[in-house]
Amino acid sequence: MRGWRRVILKTYESEETYLETIFILERQGGGARSVDIANELGYSRPSISAAMKNLRGKGYIKTDSAGYIKLTPGGREIAEAMYERHTIISDWLVYLGVDEKTAANDACRMEHAMSAESFAAIKKHIENINNN
C-alpha cells in the first residue's frame, strides 16, 4: 500500500484500468501492445492509442522498439496497487458467496472508488481470517 495516497490524487480511473491491464498482460507472459490492450478491454485501437500517449506523457509507460508497452516504476506502482485491490476485493466477495464472475466485475468498479482506509480495513480483516 505504499504510495497509495499519491496514486489516488494523481490518477484517474481510466488510467488505473489501462495500467492494471498492461500489468496483467505482462504477468501472462505475452507483453502488452496497443492491440492487446484494445482486445482485453474491448476498446477501439484509436482510443487505446490516445490513452497510451497520455500515459506516456505522464511518465507511466514507455514503448520499446518492438512496440511493446512497458510500465515505468511509477506506472508499475499504480498497476500493482490496483491489481492488489482487485484481487483482494474479488477474493473477499467470493468468500462472502458471490459468484466469481460477478465478484470480478464488482471488484473492477470498487477498486477505484474505495478509500485507502476502507481497503486497508478489508485487507486486515481478510488477513485475520486467513491467519485463524
Side-chain angles (χ1 to χ4, degrees):
M1 271 215 353
R2 79 184 149 81
W4 184 249
R5 184 172 307 281
R6 181 190 65 77
V7 171
I8 286 179
L9 294 176
K10 295 193 177 182
T11 60
Y12 297 100
E13 180 177 336
S14 60
E15 293 172 340
E16 294 167 350
T17 298
Y18 290 124
L19 294 170
E20 182 183 14
T21 300
I22 295 165
F23 178 76
I24 290 167
L25 289 168
E26 285 180 352
R27 284 179 53 99
Q28 292 172 348
R33 298 171 297 152
S34 289
V35 66
D36 302 319
I37 298 165
N39 290 337
E40 185 72 22
L41 295 175
Y43 297 161
S44 71
R45 290 178 70 185
S47 294
I48 297 299
S49 180
M52 295 306 107
K53 181 179 178 182
N54 177 47
L55 292 174
R56 196 174 302 105
K58 290 185 174 188
Y60 293 138
I61 63 167
K62 57 186 177 181
T63 306
D64 69 16
S65 60
Y68 286 94
I69 299 164
K70 305 291 184 183
L71 295 167
T72 63
R76 181 164 302 283
E77 181 181 355
I78 295 166
E80 287 176 350
M82 296 314 302
Y83 184 76
E84 177 188 41
R85 277 183 166 231
H86 180 92
T87 303
I88 288 174
I89 293 168
S90 182
D91 290 348
W92 176 58
L93 292 171
V94 169
Y95 171 80
L96 294 175
V98 177
D99 72 87
E100 287 186 29
K101 184 176 180 180
T102 302
N105 289 335
D106 288 347
C108 281
R109 291 189 298 275
M110 294 169 69
E111 69 194 40
H112 302 288
M114 186 178 291
S115 70
E117 180 182 1
S118 293
F119 176 71
I122 290 169
K123 184 176 175 181
K124 182 178 179 182
H125 177 73
I126 291 169
E127 287 170 353
N128 288 337
I129 290 170
N130 290 338
N131 290 331
N132 290 327

